[in-house]
């Protein structure tokens, strides 16, 4: 029995009212298992994936245990980042809505410490904080820890990934021993077990089995791609599915920055988030994403963990994650709160073995899909136009236009011919609009959208390899190597794609320049059939 009704738990009517209002129908498995154990006074390690309701799993028993008459901090929850602290804080605020006289406060870096101290002085029973700021308050003596009954480490694995181990130990050591200590984490690396032995009391391990974790409402597919093709496949899929919000995961910070720049250079509304950004920068990017100011967020694993943004329609695994666990975390970012979502994974060569492991782990097949063709994309556009037309027919007064068409029909054209001609014309305008920049500058060079394809009259015969092309162009022009697109080197010549906006600069500067001691000729390529 993994899921039960909240009223089957021994919890107060204030909390029952709150969860009812939050729309929770039944407990999640981690809640079913953890809440009674914590209420019985056990220390626990709770393991469950992101998005499985861990906050309420510890939040409910803590709120039940707080003595509202005691105005000192009685529980401290440590979270790895400010976003997560705020999220936990918001969830606890909702859960405690009908528990009058319980006050909660998030404390994190970047917010005025003076304001936090003032709030603390008023009396706060539950503190949600990042390790750095909590230690700061400890050093200043502005946080009274004598009454702490509960110490919760949330997303422990992320905190460890972020290098918080020493801070965590400092805090664990300083808080009275007769407290309860709760760890929550999606994965349990060895360090957590060590911390548990040292700082927990007889702790119970509550684990939610993997098979309960996959979210059935996510459609999972993979695409076999070539390495140099990933970006093209990504942009095609985005064009085809046109998601309002999507997430693109890469395995390294460098790749995240690169893909983001390449998307931006092609006119997509994207931004990047990873552990190399400071907290303010990350907040800024997250807010833009949450508010739909950017549509595509490119991210590493760590940066996006635990972040609860609704309505993400597609998660792209641009790189297959190294760890099978991460696959579940990543795709769990879509299909939240019962929405359906899609997860698309790009497979290059031997990645297929990793994919097999993942399928075994999630006990579900990930289905192969063909890379969409330009025809597929046209098909989607036509459907959009058809829908718009139907709306027109339903809503608008077509009176005088109907007369015009009747004139044409009198001239021996059929209604179908007329409609098809108008549709064709609309499609052509649509395509022309898209290719406008390239066309006006270079004509169609056969490059992907937003790029121009250049021909260089040197190739393998001249010992030229991609790194020489990237080196020469990025060395001589203002274009960064990251933004250089597909490079195809043949025996006697080479094609390279660069962003349209840089096309003229590259042509002007590289003309008669040298690559590997060869004076080159460079010109816009002729289109080829795709
Ligand atoms: P985790 O900490 O495991 O990543 P959260 O506690 O952030 O997960 O919960 C993820 C989302 O699920 C939140 O929006 C939360 O309000 C919601 N949620 C939590 N418990 C339930 C439940 N029993 N039923 C429905 N939604 C829930
Ligand atoms: Mg959480």
């Amino acid at each position: 029995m993994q899921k039960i009704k909240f009223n089957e738990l021994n919890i107060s009517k204030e909390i029952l009212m709150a969860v009812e209002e939050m729309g929770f129908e039944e407990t999640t498995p981690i809640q079913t298992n953890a809440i009674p154990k914590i209420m019985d006074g056990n220390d626990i390690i709770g393991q469950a994936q992101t998005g499985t309701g861990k906050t309420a799993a510890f939040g409910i028993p803590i709120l039940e245990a707080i003595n509202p008459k005691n105005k000192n901090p009685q529980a401290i929850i440590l979270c790895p980042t400010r976003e997560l602290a705020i999220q936990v804080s918001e969830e606890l605020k909702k859960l405690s809505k009908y528990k009058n006289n319980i006050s909660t406060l998030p404390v994190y870096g970047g917010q005025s410490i003076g304001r936090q101290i003032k709030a603390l002085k008023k009396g706060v029973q539950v503190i949600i904080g990042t390790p750095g700021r909590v230690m700061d308050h400890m050093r200043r003596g502005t946080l009274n820890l004598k009454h702490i009954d509960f110490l919760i480490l949330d997303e422990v694995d992320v905190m460890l990934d972020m290098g918080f181990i020493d801070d965590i130990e400092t805090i664990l050591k300083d808080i009275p021993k007769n407290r309860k200590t709760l760890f929550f984490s999606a994965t349990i690396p060895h360090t957590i077990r060590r911390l548990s032995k040292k700082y927990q009391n007889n702790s119970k391990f509550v684990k939610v089995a993997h098979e309960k974790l996959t979210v059935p409402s996510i459609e999972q597919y993979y695409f076999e791609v070539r390495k140099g093709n990933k970006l093209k496949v990504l942009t095609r899929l985005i064009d085809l599915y046109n998601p309002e919000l999507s997430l693109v995961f890469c395995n390294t910070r460098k790749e995240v920055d690169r893909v983001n720049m390449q998307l931006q250079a092609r006119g997509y509304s994207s931004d990047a988030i990873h552990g190399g950004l400071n907290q303010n920068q990350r907040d800024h990017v997250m807010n833009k994403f949450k508010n739909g100011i950017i549509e595509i967020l490119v991210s590493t694993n760590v940066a996006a963990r635990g972040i609860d943004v609704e309505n993400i329609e597609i998660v792209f695994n641009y790189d297959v994650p190294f760890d099978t666990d991460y696959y579940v975390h990543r795709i769990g970012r879509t299909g939240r709160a019962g929405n359906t979502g899609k997860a698309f994974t790009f497979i290059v060569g031997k990645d297929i073995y990793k994919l097999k492991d993942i399928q075994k782990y999630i006990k579900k097949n990930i289905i192969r899909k063909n890379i969409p063709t330009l025809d597929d994309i046209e098909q989607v556009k036509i459907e959009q136009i058809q829908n718009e037309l139907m709306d027109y027919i339903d809503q608008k007064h077509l009176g005088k236009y109907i007369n015009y068409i009747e004139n044409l029909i009198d001239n021996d054209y059929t209604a179908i011919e007329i409609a098809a001609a108008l549709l064709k014309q609309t499609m052509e305008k649509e395509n022309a609009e898209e290719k406008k920049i390239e066309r006006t500058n270079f004509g169609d060079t056969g490059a992907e959208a937003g790029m121009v394809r250049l021909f260089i009259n040197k190739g393998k015969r001249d010992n030229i390899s991609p790194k020489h092309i990237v080196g020469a162009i990025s060395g001589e022009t203002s274009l960064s190597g990251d933004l250089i697109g597909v490079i195809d080197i043949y025996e006697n010549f080479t094609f390279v794609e660069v962003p349209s906006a840089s096309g003229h600069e590259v042509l002007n500067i590289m003309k008669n320049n040298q690559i590997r001691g060869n004076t080159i000729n460079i010109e816009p390529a002729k289109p080829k059939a795709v």
Side-chain angles (χ1 to χ4, degrees):
M1 255 270 286
Q2 286 284 314
K3 290 179 173 176
I4 56 174
K5 298 267 182 259
F6 278 93
N7 61 16
E8 293 172 58
L9 294 167
N10 189 15
I11 54 181
S12 64
K13 66 172 190 308
E14 289 86 357
I15 297 281
L16 284 176
M17 274 159 70
V19 293
E20 167 87 43
E21 209 172 291
M22 291 163 83
F24 297 1
E25 289 183 328
E26 46 190 11
T27 57
T28 66
I30 188 75
Q31 291 163 357
T32 315
N33 290 310
I35 292 173
K37 291 204 175 62
I38 301 172
M39 291 181 73
D40 283 348
N42 295 294
D43 281 1
I44 72 161
I45 302 180
Q47 179 182 12
Q49 305 297 353
T50 305
T52 52
K54 294 192 287 297
T55 316
F58 60 77
I60 291 174
I62 295 175
L63 291 171
E64 296 287 26
I66 298 291
N67 172 2
K69 296 210 181 79
N70 178 349
K71 294 296 173 199
N72 291 297
Q74 296 165 51
I76 286 200
I77 301 151
L78 295 180
C79 301
T81 64
R82 167 173 166 174
E83 300 95 313
L84 289 169
I86 292 172
Q87 239 169 51
V88 168
S89 170
E90 283 172 354
E91 186 91 347
L92 291 187
K93 276 241 153 40
K94 288 185 208 154
L95 286 169
S96 62
K97 180 167 174 194
Y98 296 103
K99 288 253 181 197
N100 301 326
N101 305 322
I102 294 188
S103 99
T104 60
L105 180 74
V107 299
Y108 46 78
Q111 199 192 33
S112 145
I113 194 147
R115 187 159 359 123
Q116 289 173 0
I117 293 172
K118 228 196 249 158
L120 286 168
K121 276 198 183 130
K122 279 199 208 141
V124 173
Q125 290 122 328
V126 183
I127 309 279
I128 305 104
T130 50
R133 187 48 72 97
V134 166
M135 288 202 308
D136 197 351
H137 282 290
M138 286 164 69
R139 275 194 298 268
R140 291 166 189 257
T142 42
L143 200 54
N144 178 355
L145 300 173
K146 287 201 210 68
H147 301 266
I148 293 289
D149 285 328
F150 288 96
L151 172 57
I152 297 95
L153 306 193
D154 193 17
E155 308 263 358
V156 196
D157 51 351
V158 180
M159 288 204 273
L160 296 175
D161 277 350
M162 292 177 72
F164 283 138
I165 180 70
D166 292 341
D167 296 357
I168 289 174
E169 289 209 64
T170 306
I171 296 168
L172 280 165
K173 271 185 216 137
D174 262 29
I175 293 184
K177 291 275 174 303
N178 57 353
R179 53 151 207 251
K180 312 218 165 53
T181 310
L182 314 176
F183 293 168
F184 281 85
S185 196
T187 58
I188 308 291
H190 181 73
T191 317
I192 295 187
R193 298 196 183 275
R194 183 180 68 76
L195 286 175
S196 165
K197 278 207 191 92
K198 209 160 151 194
Y199 298 102
Q200 284 190 311
N201 212 337
N202 237 334
S203 82
K204 300 248 182 319
F205 186 50
V206 179
K207 178 177 169 159
V208 174
H210 293 314
E211 50 265 86
K212 308 251 165 25
L213 298 174
T214 43
V215 191
S217 57
I218 301 177
E219 299 168 31
Q220 303 172 55
Y221 300 100
Y222 74 92
F223 296 87
E224 274 182 290
V225 300
R226 281 185 292 125
K227 202 163 177 223
N229 241 358
K230 281 187 180 181
L231 192 74
K232 192 174 199 157
V233 177
L234 177 65
T235 53
R236 270 199 195 168
L237 288 168
I238 291 172
D239 291 347
L240 182 62
Y241 289 93
N242 205 9
E244 249 162 63
L245 294 181
S246 61
L247 260 174
V248 178
F249 282 104
C250 308
N251 285 346
T252 64
R253 290 176 187 179
K254 228 173 120 182
E255 188 72 357
V256 163
D257 281 333
R258 205 163 76 101
V259 171
N260 175 43
M261 277 208 283
Q262 290 172 326
L263 285 172
Q264 288 181 352
R266 285 158 182 73
Y268 292 91
S269 153
S270 71
D271 212 335
I273 191 167
H274 55 61
L277 304 179
N278 70 31
Q279 193 60 248
N280 275 333
Q281 294 169 315
R282 279 202 264 166
D283 284 354
H284 186 63
V285 175
M286 272 318 297
N287 281 333
K288 283 200 291 185
F289 187 54
K290 274 186 192 159
N291 298 324
I293 297 166
I294 52 162
E295 294 164 6
I296 307 166
L297 183 64
V298 191
S299 176
T300 51
N301 292 322
V302 168
R305 276 275 305 277
I307 288 167
D308 193 9
V309 177
E310 271 174 31
N311 304 327
I312 295 175
E313 290 170 34
I314 307 184
V315 170
F316 293 97
N317 289 304
Y318 195 84
D319 295 326
V320 182
F322 296 123
D323 188 330
T324 46
D325 267 4
Y326 275 124
Y327 178 83
V328 180
H329 299 160
R330 286 177 176 189
I331 72 163
R333 314 281 91 227
T334 182
R336 289 173 87 81
N339 295 329
T340 53
K342 293 188 176 63
F344 291 154
T345 301
F346 293 177
I347 297 289
V348 181
K350 287 185 184 149
D351 285 344
I352 195 77
Y353 297 114
K354 278 196 244 165
L355 192 78
K356 294 215 165 103
D357 280 350
I358 291 170
Q359 300 192 44
K360 232 189 274 165
Y361 176 83
I362 63 171
K363 299 197 165 61
K364 211 175 161 187
N365 274 335
I366 301 172
I367 299 154
R368 183 174 183 282
K369 239 190 198 300
N370 288 326
I371 297 169
T373 61
L374 292 177
D375 279 347
D376 293 334
I377 293 172
E378 183 173 88
Q379 192 60 40
V380 169
K381 277 196 193 135
I382 289 197
E383 273 164 30
Q384 278 167 2
I385 292 173
Q386 283 171 337
N387 288 336
E388 282 167 24
L389 284 178
M390 286 191 282
D391 280 351
Y392 265 105
I393 296 169
D394 291 344
Q395 293 166 14
K396 300 267 153 86
H397 305 287
L398 294 173
K400 74 175 177 191
Y401 297 97
I402 287 178
N403 290 340
Y404 296 143
I405 299 293
E406 277 171 353
N407 282 341
L408 281 176
I409 289 177
D410 287 344
N411 281 322
D412 234 14
Y413 294 100
T414 67
I416 288 184
E417 281 168 339
I418 297 164
L422 287 172
L423 183 59
K424 181 159 183 256
Q425 202 180 29
T426 309
M427 280 306 290
E428 280 167 1
K429 277 196 193 126
E430 182 96 354
N431 290 338
E433 192 60 34
E434 252 172 42
K435 293 246 163 179
K436 205 166 170 183
I437 315 165
E438 296 117 84
R439 284 244 162 90
T440 46
N441 290 331
F442 304 102
D444 186 0
T445 61
E448 62 179 288
M451 303 291 278
V452 50
R453 193 168 154 89
L454 304 175
F455 166 90
I456 296 172
N457 67 337
K458 299 287 169 205
K460 283 192 191 132
R461 188 188 54 187
D462 311 289
N463 291 323
I464 283 176
S465 72
K467 71 169 189 262
H468 301 121
I469 301 282
V470 173
I473 295 178
S474 64
E476 300 291 324
T477 70
S478 67
L479 187 62
S480 121
D482 292 340
L483 294 181
I484 297 172
V486 179
I487 301 176
D488 284 326
I489 302 188
Y490 297 90
E491 198 53 32
N492 298 327
F493 52 86
T494 296
F495 288 110
V496 55
E497 292 189 9
V498 300
S500 305
S502 305
H504 280 300
E505 186 197 342
V506 174
L507 279 174
N508 289 337
I509 296 179
M510 296 310 292
K511 203 159 254 171
N512 302 322
N513 221 306
Q514 293 201 333
I515 297 181
R516 290 216 94 187
N518 301 293
T519 303
I520 61 159
N521 184 34
I522 181 167
E523 54 190 60
K526 310 261 177 332
K528 55 163 192 182
V530 175

